[in-house]
Coordinates of all heavy atoms in Angstrom, one line a residue:
M256 N 117.0 96.1 127.1 CA 115.7 96.3 127.5 C 114.8 96.8 126.4 O 113.8 96.1 126.0 CB 115.7 97.4 128.7 CG 114.3 97.7 129.2 SD 114.5 98.6 130.8 CE 114.0 100.2 130.2
R257 N 115.0 97.9 125.8 CA 114.2 98.4 124.6 C 115.1 98.5 123.4 O 114.9 99.4 122.6 CB 113.7 99.8 125.0 CG 112.7 99.8 126.1 CD 112.1 101.2 126.2 NE 111.3 101.3 127.4 CZ 111.4 102.2 128.3 NH1 112.3 103.1 128.2 NH2 110.6 102.2 129.4
T258 N 116.0 97.6 123.2 CA 116.9 97.6 122.1 C 116.2 97.5 120.7 O 116.8 97.9 119.7 CB 118.0 96.6 122.2 OG1 117.4 95.3 122.4 CG2 118.9 96.8 123.5
N259 N 115.0 96.9 120.7 CA 114.4 96.7 119.4 C 113.4 97.8 119.1 O 112.7 97.7 118.1 CB 113.6 95.3 119.4 CG 112.6 95.2 120.6 OD1 112.7 96.0 121.5 ND2 111.7 94.3 120.4
T260 N 113.4 98.9 119.9 CA 112.5 100.0 119.5 C 113.3 101.3 119.3 O 114.4 101.4 119.9 CB 111.5 100.3 120.7 OG1 112.1 100.5 121.9 CG2 110.5 99.1 120.8
Q261 N 112.8 102.2 118.6 CA 113.5 103.4 118.3 C 113.1 104.5 119.3 O 112.0 104.6 119.7 CB 113.1 103.9 116.9 CG 113.5 103.0 115.8 CD 113.0 103.6 114.4 OE1 112.0 104.3 114.3 NE2 113.7 103.2 113.4
P262 N 114.1 105.4 119.7 CA 113.7 106.5 120.5 C 112.9 107.5 119.8 O 113.1 107.7 118.6 CB 115.1 107.1 120.9 CG 116.0 106.6 119.9 CD 115.5 105.3 119.3
I263 N 111.9 108.1 120.5 CA 111.1 109.1 119.8 C 110.7 110.1 120.9 O 110.5 109.8 122.1 CB 109.9 108.5 119.1 CG1 109.2 109.6 118.2 CG2 108.9 107.9 120.1 CD1 108.1 109.0 117.3
E264 N 110.6 111.4 120.5 CA 110.1 112.4 121.4 C 108.6 112.4 121.5 O 107.9 112.1 120.5 CB 110.7 113.8 121.0 CG 112.2 113.9 121.2 CD 112.7 115.3 120.9 OE1 111.9 116.2 120.6 OE2 113.9 115.4 121.0
R265 N 108.1 112.8 122.6 CA 106.6 112.8 122.9 C 105.8 113.5 121.7 O 104.8 113.0 121.2 CB 106.3 113.5 124.2 CG 105.0 113.3 124.8 CD 104.9 113.9 126.2 NE 106.0 113.4 127.0 CZ 106.0 112.3 127.8 NH1 104.9 111.6 127.8 NH2 107.1 112.0 128.5
E266 N 106.2 114.7 121.4 CA 105.5 115.5 120.4 C 105.5 114.8 119.0 O 104.5 114.7 118.4 CB 106.1 116.9 120.2 CG 105.3 117.8 119.3 CD 105.9 119.2 119.2 OE1 106.4 119.7 120.3 OE2 105.9 119.8 118.1
A267 N 106.6 114.2 118.6 CA 106.7 113.5 117.3 C 105.8 112.2 117.4 O 105.1 111.9 116.4 CB 108.1 113.1 117.0
L268 N 105.8 111.6 118.5 CA 105.0 110.4 118.7 C 103.5 110.7 118.6 O 102.7 110.0 117.9 CB 105.3 109.7 120.0 CG 104.5 108.4 120.2 CD1 104.7 107.4 119.1 CD2 104.9 107.8 121.6
L269 N 103.1 111.8 119.2 CA 101.7 112.2 119.2 C 101.3 112.6 117.7 O 100.1 112.3 117.3 CB 101.4 113.4 120.1 CG 101.4 113.0 121.6 CD1 101.3 114.2 122.5 CD2 100.2 112.0 121.9
I270 N 102.2 113.2 117.0 CA 101.9 113.5 115.6 C 101.6 112.2 114.8 O 100.7 112.1 114.1 CB 103.0 114.4 115.0 CG1 103.0 115.8 115.6 CG2 102.9 114.4 113.4 CD1 104.2 116.6 115.2
E271 N 102.5 111.3 115.0 CA 102.3 110.0 114.3 C 101.1 109.3 114.7 O 100.3 108.8 113.9 CB 103.5 109.1 114.5 CG 103.4 107.8 113.7 CD 104.7 107.0 113.6 OE1 105.8 107.5 113.8 OE2 104.6 105.8 113.2
A272 N 100.8 109.3 116.0 CA 99.6 108.6 116.5 C 98.3 109.3 115.9 O 97.4 108.6 115.5 CB 99.6 108.7 118.0
N273 N 98.3 110.6 115.9 CA 97.1 111.3 115.4 C 97.0 111.1 113.8 O 95.8 111.0 113.3 CB 97.1 112.7 115.8 CG 96.7 112.9 117.2 OD1 95.7 112.3 117.7 ND2 97.5 113.5 118.0
N274 N 98.0 110.9 113.1 CA 98.0 110.5 111.7 C 97.3 109.2 111.5 O 96.5 108.9 110.7 CB 99.3 110.6 111.0 CG 99.8 112.0 110.7 OD1 98.9 112.9 110.5 ND2 101.1 112.2 110.7
I275 N 97.7 108.2 112.4 CA 97.2 106.9 112.4 C 95.7 106.9 112.7 O 94.9 106.3 112.0 CB 97.9 105.9 113.4 CG1 99.3 105.6 112.9 CG2 97.1 104.6 113.6 CD1 100.2 104.9 113.9
I276 N 95.3 107.7 113.7 CA 93.9 107.9 114.0 C 93.1 108.4 112.9 O 92.0 107.8 112.5 CB 93.7 108.8 115.3 CG1 94.2 108.1 116.5 CG2 92.2 109.2 115.4 CD1 94.3 109.1 117.7
R277 N 93.5 109.5 112.3 CA 92.8 110.1 111.2 C 92.6 109.2 109.9 O 91.7 109.3 109.2 CB 93.4 111.4 110.7 CG 93.1 112.6 111.7 CD 93.6 113.9 111.1 NE 95.0 114.0 110.9 CZ 95.9 114.3 111.9 NH1 95.5 114.5 113.1 NH2 97.2 114.3 111.7
N278 N 93.6 108.3 109.7 CA 93.6 107.4 108.6 C 93.0 106.1 108.8 O 92.9 105.2 108.0 CB 95.0 107.3 108.0 CG 95.5 108.6 107.4 OD1 94.8 109.2 106.5 ND2 96.6 109.1 107.8
H279 N 92.5 105.9 110.1 CA 92.0 104.6 110.5 C 90.5 104.5 110.0 O 89.8 105.4 110.1 CB 92.1 104.4 112.0 CG 91.9 103.0 112.4 ND1 90.7 102.4 112.6 CD2 92.8 102.0 112.7 CE1 90.8 101.2 113.0 NE2 92.1 100.9 113.1
E280 N 90.1 103.3 109.6 CA 88.7 103.1 109.2 C 87.7 103.4 110.3 O 86.5 103.7 110.0 CB 88.5 101.7 108.6 CG 88.7 100.6 109.7 CD 88.5 99.2 109.1 OE1 88.6 99.1 107.8 OE2 88.3 98.2 109.8
D281 N 88.0 103.3 111.6 CA 87.1 103.5 112.7 C 87.2 105.0 113.2 O 86.6 105.3 114.3 CB 87.4 102.6 113.8 CG 87.1 101.1 113.4 OD1 86.2 100.9 112.6 OD2 87.7 100.2 114.0
Y282 N 87.9 105.8 112.5 CA 88.0 107.2 112.9 C 86.6 107.9 113.0 O 85.8 107.7 112.2 CB 88.8 108.0 111.9 CG 88.8 109.5 112.1 CD1 89.6 110.1 113.2 CD2 88.0 110.4 111.4 CE1 89.6 111.4 113.4 CE2 88.0 111.7 111.6 CZ 88.8 112.3 112.7 OH 88.8 113.6 112.9
M283 N 86.5 108.7 114.1 CA 85.3 109.5 114.3 C 85.8 110.9 114.6 O 86.8 111.1 115.2 CB 84.5 109.1 115.5 CG 83.8 107.8 115.4 SD 82.8 107.5 116.9 CE 82.6 105.7 116.8
H284 N 85.0 111.9 114.0 CA 85.4 113.3 114.2 C 85.6 113.6 115.7 O 84.8 113.2 116.5 CB 84.3 114.2 113.7 CG 84.6 115.6 113.9 ND1 85.5 116.3 113.1 CD2 84.1 116.5 114.7 CE1 85.6 117.6 113.5 NE2 84.8 117.7 114.5
G285 N 86.7 114.2 116.0 CA 87.0 114.6 117.4 C 88.0 113.7 118.1 O 88.5 114.0 119.1
M286 N 88.2 112.5 117.5 CA 89.2 111.6 118.1 C 90.6 112.2 118.0 O 91.0 112.5 116.9 CB 89.2 110.2 117.3 CG 88.3 109.2 117.8 SD 88.6 107.7 116.9 CE 87.2 106.7 117.5
I287 N 91.3 112.3 119.1 CA 92.6 112.8 119.1 C 93.4 112.3 120.3 O 92.8 112.3 121.4 CB 92.6 114.4 119.0 CG1 94.1 114.9 118.8 CG2 91.9 115.0 120.2 CD1 94.1 116.4 118.5
A288 N 94.6 112.0 120.1 CA 95.5 111.6 121.2 C 96.2 112.9 121.7 O 96.8 113.6 120.9 CB 96.5 110.6 120.8
T289 N 96.1 113.3 123.0 CA 96.6 114.5 123.4 C 97.8 114.3 124.4 O 98.6 115.2 124.7 CB 95.6 115.4 124.2 OG1 95.0 114.6 125.2 CG2 94.5 115.8 123.2
E290 N 97.9 113.1 124.9 CA 98.9 112.7 125.9 C 99.4 111.3 125.6 O 98.7 110.5 125.2 CB 98.4 112.8 127.3 CG 97.9 114.1 127.8 CD 97.3 114.0 129.2 OE1 97.9 113.3 130.1 OE2 96.2 114.5 129.4
V291 N 100.7 111.1 126.0 CA 101.2 109.7 125.9 C 102.3 109.6 127.0 O 103.0 110.5 127.3 CB 101.9 109.4 124.5 CG1 103.0 110.3 124.2 CG2 102.3 107.9 124.4
E292 N 102.3 108.4 127.6 CA 103.3 108.1 128.6 C 103.8 106.7 128.4 O 103.1 105.9 127.9 CB 102.9 108.4 130.0 CG 101.8 107.4 130.5 CD 101.4 107.7 132.0 OE1 102.3 107.6 132.9 OE2 100.2 107.9 132.2
Q293 N 105.0 106.5 128.9 CA 105.7 105.2 128.8 C 105.4 104.4 130.1 O 105.7 104.9 131.2 CB 107.2 105.3 128.6 CG 107.9 104.1 128.4 CD 108.0 103.7 126.9 OE1 108.2 104.5 126.1 NE2 107.7 102.4 126.6
K294 N 104.8 103.3 130.1 CA 104.6 102.4 131.2 C 105.3 101.1 130.9 O 104.7 100.2 130.2 CB 103.1 102.1 131.5 CG 102.3 103.4 131.8 CD 102.0 103.4 133.3 CE 101.0 104.5 133.6 NZ 100.7 104.6 135.0
G295 N 106.5 100.9 131.4 CA 107.3 99.8 131.1 C 107.6 99.8 129.6 O 108.1 100.8 129.1
S296 N 107.2 98.8 128.9 CA 107.5 98.7 127.5 C 106.2 99.2 126.6 O 106.3 99.1 125.4 CB 107.9 97.3 127.0 OG 106.8 96.4 127.3
V297 N 105.2 99.6 127.3 CA 103.9 100.0 126.6 C 103.8 101.5 126.6 O 103.9 102.2 127.7 CB 102.7 99.3 127.3 CG1 101.4 99.7 126.7 CG2 102.9 97.8 127.3
L298 N 103.4 102.0 125.5 CA 103.0 103.4 125.3 C 101.5 103.6 125.6 O 100.7 102.9 125.0 CB 103.4 104.0 123.9 CG 104.8 104.0 123.6 CD1 105.0 104.1 122.1 CD2 105.6 105.0 124.4
V299 N 101.1 104.4 126.6 CA 99.7 104.6 126.9 C 99.3 106.0 126.4 O 99.8 107.0 126.8 CB 99.6 104.5 128.5 CG1 98.1 104.7 128.8 CG2 100.1 103.1 129.0
F300 N 98.2 105.9 125.6 CA 97.7 107.2 125.0 C 96.4 107.6 125.7 O 95.6 106.8 126.1 CB 97.4 106.9 123.5 CG 98.7 106.7 122.7 CD1 99.2 105.4 122.6 CD2 99.3 107.8 122.1 CE1 100.4 105.2 121.9 CE2 100.5 107.6 121.4 CZ 101.0 106.3 121.3
R301 N 96.2 108.9 125.7 CA 95.0 109.5 126.3 C 94.5 110.7 125.5 O 95.3 111.3 124.8 CB 95.3 110.0 127.7 CG 95.4 108.9 128.8 CD 95.4 109.4 130.2 NE 96.6 109.8 130.7 CZ 97.7 109.1 131.0 NH1 97.6 107.8 130.7 NH2 98.8 109.5 131.5
G302 N 93.3 111.0 125.6 CA 92.7 112.1 124.9 C 91.2 112.2 125.3 O 90.8 111.7 126.3
E303 N 90.4 112.9 124.5 CA 89.0 113.0 124.7 C 88.3 111.7 124.7 O 88.5 110.9 123.8 CB 88.4 113.9 123.6 CG 86.9 114.1 123.6 CD 86.4 114.7 124.9 OE1 86.9 115.8 125.2 OE2 85.5 114.1 125.6
F304 N 87.5 111.4 125.7 CA 86.7 110.1 125.8 C 85.3 110.3 125.5 O 84.5 109.3 125.6 CB 87.0 109.4 127.1 CG 88.2 108.6 127.1 CD1 89.4 109.1 127.7 CD2 88.3 107.4 126.6 CE1 90.5 108.4 127.7 CE2 89.4 106.6 126.6 CZ 90.6 107.1 127.2
F305 N 84.8 111.5 125.1 CA 83.4 111.7 124.7 C 82.4 111.3 125.8 O 81.5 110.5 125.6 CB 83.1 111.0 123.4 CG 83.9 111.4 122.3 CD1 85.0 110.7 121.9 CD2 83.7 112.6 121.6 CE1 85.8 111.1 120.8 CE2 84.5 113.0 120.6 CZ 85.5 112.3 120.2
L306 N 82.6 111.7 127.0 CA 81.7 111.5 128.1 C 80.5 112.4 128.0 O 80.6 113.5 127.5 CB 82.4 111.7 129.5 CG 83.6 110.8 129.7 CD1 84.3 111.1 131.1 CD2 83.3 109.3 129.6
D307 N 79.3 111.9 128.5 CA 78.1 112.7 128.5 C 78.2 113.8 129.6 O 79.2 113.8 130.4 CB 76.9 111.9 128.6 CG 76.6 111.3 130.0 OD1 77.3 111.7 131.0 OD2 75.7 110.4 130.1
P308 N 77.2 114.7 129.7 CA 77.3 115.8 130.7 C 77.4 115.3 132.2 O 77.9 116.0 133.0 CB 76.0 116.6 130.5 CG 75.7 116.3 129.1 CD 76.1 114.9 128.8
D309 N 77.0 114.1 132.4 CA 77.1 113.5 133.8 C 78.4 112.7 134.0 O 78.6 112.1 135.0 CB 75.9 112.5 134.0 CG 74.6 113.3 134.0 OD1 74.5 114.4 134.5 OD2 73.6 112.7 133.5
G310 N 79.3 112.8 133.0 CA 80.5 112.1 133.1 C 80.5 110.6 132.8 O 81.4 109.9 133.1
L311 N 79.4 110.2 132.2 CA 79.3 108.7 131.8 C 79.7 108.5 130.4 O 79.6 109.4 129.5 CB 77.8 108.3 132.0 CG 77.3 108.5 133.5 CD1 75.8 108.2 133.5 CD2 78.0 107.6 134.4
P312 N 80.1 107.2 130.1 CA 80.6 106.9 128.8 C 79.4 107.0 127.8 O 78.3 106.8 128.1 CB 81.0 105.5 128.9 CG 81.2 105.2 130.3 CD 80.3 106.2 131.1
T313 N 79.8 107.4 126.5 CA 78.8 107.4 125.4 C 79.2 106.3 124.4 O 80.2 105.6 124.7 CB 78.9 108.7 124.7 OG1 80.1 108.9 124.1 CG2 78.6 109.9 125.6
A314 N 78.5 106.2 123.3 CA 78.8 105.1 122.3 C 80.2 105.4 121.8 O 80.9 104.4 121.4 CB 77.8 105.2 121.2
K315 N 80.7 106.7 121.7 CA 82.0 107.0 121.1 C 83.1 106.6 122.1 O 84.2 106.4 121.6 CB 82.1 108.5 120.9 CG 81.4 108.9 119.6 CD 81.8 110.4 119.4 CE 81.2 110.9 118.1 NZ 81.6 112.3 117.8
T316 N 82.8 106.4 123.4 CA 83.8 106.1 124.4 C 84.5 104.8 124.0 O 85.8 104.7 124.1 CB 83.2 106.1 125.8 OG1 82.6 107.3 126.0 CG2 84.3 105.9 126.8
T317 N 83.8 103.8 123.7 CA 84.3 102.5 123.4 C 85.2 102.6 122.2 O 86.3 102.0 122.1 CB 83.2 101.4 123.2 OG1 82.5 101.4 124.4 CG2 83.8 100.1 122.9
A318 N 84.8 103.3 121.2 CA 85.6 103.5 119.9 C 86.9 104.1 120.2 O 87.9 103.7 119.7 CB 84.8 104.2 118.9
V319 N 86.9 105.2 121.1 CA 88.1 105.9 121.4 C 89.0 105.0 122.2 O 90.2 104.9 122.0 CB 87.8 107.2 122.2 CG1 89.1 107.8 122.7 CG2 87.1 108.1 121.3
F320 N 88.5 104.2 123.2 CA 89.3 103.3 124.0 C 90.0 102.3 123.1 O 91.2 102.0 123.2 CB 88.4 102.6 125.0 CG 89.2 101.5 125.8 CD1 90.0 101.9 126.9 CD2 89.1 100.2 125.4 CE1 90.7 100.9 127.5 CE2 89.8 99.2 126.1 CZ 90.6 99.6 127.2
N321 N 89.2 101.7 122.1 CA 89.8 100.8 121.2 C 90.9 101.4 120.3 O 91.9 100.7 120.0 CB 88.7 100.1 120.4 CG 87.8 99.2 121.2 OD1 88.2 98.6 122.2 ND2 86.6 99.0 120.7
M322 N 90.7 102.6 119.9 CA 91.7 103.3 119.1 C 93.0 103.5 119.9 O 94.1 103.2 119.4 CB 91.1 104.6 118.6 CG 92.1 105.3 117.7 SD 92.3 104.5 116.1 CE 90.7 104.9 115.3
F323 N 92.9 103.9 121.1 CA 94.1 104.1 122.0 C 94.8 102.8 122.2 O 96.0 102.7 122.3 CB 93.7 104.8 123.3 CG 93.3 106.3 123.1 CD1 92.7 107.0 124.1 CD2 93.6 107.0 121.9 CE1 92.3 108.3 124.0 CE2 93.2 108.3 121.8 CZ 92.6 109.0 122.8
K324 N 94.0 101.7 122.4 CA 94.6 100.4 122.5 C 95.3 100.0 121.3 O 96.4 99.4 121.3 CB 93.4 99.4 122.9 CG 93.9 98.0 123.3 CD 92.8 97.2 123.9 CE 92.1 96.4 122.8 NZ 91.2 95.4 123.3
H325 N 94.7 100.3 120.1 CA 95.4 100.0 118.8 C 96.7 100.7 118.7 O 97.7 100.2 118.3 CB 94.4 100.4 117.7 CG 95.0 100.3 116.3 ND1 95.4 99.1 115.7 CD2 95.4 101.3 115.5 CE1 95.9 99.4 114.5 NE2 95.9 100.7 114.4
L326 N 96.7 102.0 119.1 CA 97.9 102.8 119.0 C 99.0 102.2 120.0 O 100.1 102.1 119.6 CB 97.6 104.3 119.5 CG 96.8 105.1 118.6 CD1 96.5 106.4 119.2 CD2 97.5 105.3 117.2
A327 N 98.6 101.8 121.2 CA 99.5 101.2 122.1 C 100.2 100.0 121.5 O 101.4 99.8 121.6 CB 98.8 100.9 123.4
H328 N 99.3 99.1 120.9 CA 99.8 97.9 120.3 C 100.8 98.2 119.2 O 101.9 97.6 119.1 CB 98.7 97.0 119.8 CG 99.1 95.8 119.2 ND1 99.6 94.7 119.9 CD2 99.1 95.4 117.9 CE1 99.9 93.7 119.0 NE2 99.6 94.2 117.8
V329 N 100.4 99.0 118.2 CA 101.2 99.3 117.0 C 102.5 100.1 117.4 O 103.6 99.7 116.9 CB 100.4 100.0 116.0 CG1 101.2 100.5 114.8 CG2 99.2 99.1 115.5
L330 N 102.3 101.1 118.1 CA 103.5 102.0 118.3 C 104.4 101.6 119.4 O 105.6 101.9 119.4 CB 103.0 103.4 118.6 CG 102.2 104.1 117.4 CD1 101.6 105.4 117.8 CD2 103.1 104.2 116.2
S331 N 104.0 100.8 120.4 CA 104.9 100.2 121.4 C 105.9 99.3 120.8 O 107.0 99.1 121.4 CB 104.1 99.6 122.5 OG 103.3 100.5 123.3
E332 N 105.5 98.6 119.7 CA 106.5 97.7 119.1 C 107.6 98.5 118.3 O 108.6 97.9 118.0 CB 105.7 96.8 118.1 CG 104.8 95.8 118.7 CD 104.0 95.0 117.7 OE1 104.1 95.2 116.5 OE2 103.3 94.1 118.2
K333 N 107.3 99.7 118.0 CA 108.3 100.5 117.2 C 109.1 101.5 118.0 O 110.2 101.8 117.6 CB 107.5 101.3 116.1 CG 106.8 100.5 115.1 CD 105.9 101.3 114.2 CE 106.7 102.3 113.3 NZ 105.8 103.0 112.4
Y334 N 108.5 102.1 119.1 CA 109.2 103.2 119.7 C 109.2 103.1 121.3 O 108.5 102.4 121.9 CB 108.4 104.5 119.4 CG 108.2 104.9 118.0 CD1 107.0 104.8 117.4 CD2 109.4 105.2 117.3 CE1 106.9 105.1 116.0 CE2 109.2 105.6 115.9 CZ 108.0 105.5 115.3 OH 107.9 105.8 114.0
H335 N 110.1 103.9 121.8 CA 110.1 104.2 123.3 C 110.4 105.7 123.4 O 111.1 106.3 122.6 CB 111.1 103.4 124.1 CG 112.5 103.6 123.7 ND1 113.1 102.9 122.7 CD2 113.5 104.4 124.2 CE1 114.4 103.3 122.6 NE2 114.6 104.2 123.4
L336 N 109.7 106.3 124.4 CA 109.9 107.8 124.7 C 111.3 108.1 125.2 O 111.8 107.4 126.0 CB 108.8 108.3 125.7 CG 107.4 108.3 125.2 CD1 106.5 108.8 126.3 CD2 107.3 109.3 124.0
V337 N 111.8 109.3 124.7 CA 113.1 109.8 125.2 C 113.0 111.1 125.9 O 114.0 111.6 126.4 CB 114.1 109.9 124.0 CG1 114.4 108.6 123.4 CG2 113.5 110.9 122.9
D338 N 111.8 111.6 126.1 CA 111.7 112.9 126.9 C 110.8 112.7 128.0 O 110.1 111.7 128.2 CB 111.2 114.0 126.0 CG 109.8 113.8 125.3 OD1 109.5 112.6 125.2 OD2 109.1 114.7 125.0

């Protein structure tokens, strides 16, 4: 099933994900992955989405969504959660 991915603990995965975020060309101050869960073979990342006071998306919201999608693509090919 996941024989081609390495096992990783949630905390270690979040550390790696946040290193990727900080070193990415589209990084914006405040972008951070605070949660990750395994959905089938895909790792789903969550964190601050920079909503306005009314709870509506801001310009940063799309950038954060795209970053989390990038993390899912890159890291799901390498890892699966073990905790």
Side-chain angles (χ1 to χ4, degrees):
M256 179 168 108
R257 293 187 189 127
T258 56
N259 59 340
T260 59
Q261 298 176 332
I263 191 169
E264 292 185 0
R265 192 174 312 270
E266 186 176 324
L268 181 57
L269 286 171
I270 289 169
E271 183 166 342
N273 284 308
N274 282 333
I275 291 171
I276 290 171
R277 280 189 299 277
N278 292 306
H279 196 279
E280 64 183 15
D281 294 332
Y282 171 77
M283 289 184 200
H284 179 75
M286 272 187 187
I287 186 169
T289 56
E290 299 174 43
V291 61
E292 68 177 302
Q293 186 88 45
K294 295 255 187 183
S296 62
V297 178
L298 296 165
V299 179
F300 293 87
R301 284 194 273 296
E303 173 63 55
F304 275 98
F305 301 101
L306 301 177
D307 73 10
D309 296 322
L311 299 173
T313 66
K315 283 187 174 183
T316 305
T317 300
V319 172
F320 175 80
N321 288 336
M322 184 67 72
F323 291 164
K324 189 168 92 171
H325 172 69
L326 291 174
H328 177 74
V329 170
L330 296 174
S331 294
E332 292 179 354
K333 292 172 67 174
Y334 301 112
H335 63 272
L336 287 177
V337 292
D338 61 334

